Amino acid sequence: MAGYTGSKDAYLKRLRRIEGQVRGIERMVEEDKYCIDILTQVSAVTKALQAVSLGLLEDHVGHCVVDAARESDEAAQAKVREAADAIARLVRT
């Protein structure tokens, strides 16, 4: 079971909202809206995706990493490395 299973419906709701925002940005570009207004919406979508990412990361640490730590030191180290790699990818974006 995934660490986010308990929050799955909330994540899906939030992702659908983000999808709608992206469609709105597409419409703004099609309608030749002002660049700064489009960038403002892109920033809002970016922040919303970052919030989803942080929530998933928190769920991963709280569930997957904790479970691995209960299993063995090696499993815990692997999950911590996996989480650290994910954080590095998030920071680079």
Side-chain angles (χ1 to χ4, degrees):
M1 181 167 36
Y4 61 85
T5 300
S7 305
K8 184 176 180 176
D9 290 339
Y11 283 123
L12 289 172
K13 182 178 179 181
R14 186 169 227 173
L15 288 167
R16 287 184 191 106
R17 193 173 328 123
I18 292 168
E19 181 181 16
Q21 288 176 288
V22 172
R23 282 194 303 272
I25 293 169
E26 180 182 14
R27 196 168 33 257
M28 290 176 78
V29 171
E30 287 173 349
E31 296 171 359
D32 295 319
K33 298 293 182 182
Y34 187 56
C35 300
I36 298 302
D37 293 339
I38 295 169
L39 289 170
T40 299
Q41 293 307 309
V42 168
S43 177
V45 168
T46 301
K47 296 294 182 194
L49 283 171
Q50 287 172 343
V52 169
S53 297
L54 290 173
L56 287 168
L57 183 60
E58 182 178 343
D59 289 341
H60 178 70
V61 171
H63 181 265
C64 301
V65 174
V66 169
D67 285 353
R70 289 182 183 132
E71 182 182 322
S72 71
D73 287 343
E74 295 79 22
Q77 288 175 3
K79 288 296 180 185
V80 168
R81 172 74 345 225
E82 185 179 64
D85 290 346
I87 293 167
R89 286 191 300 275
L90 290 172
V91 171
R92 283 193 293 262
T93 58

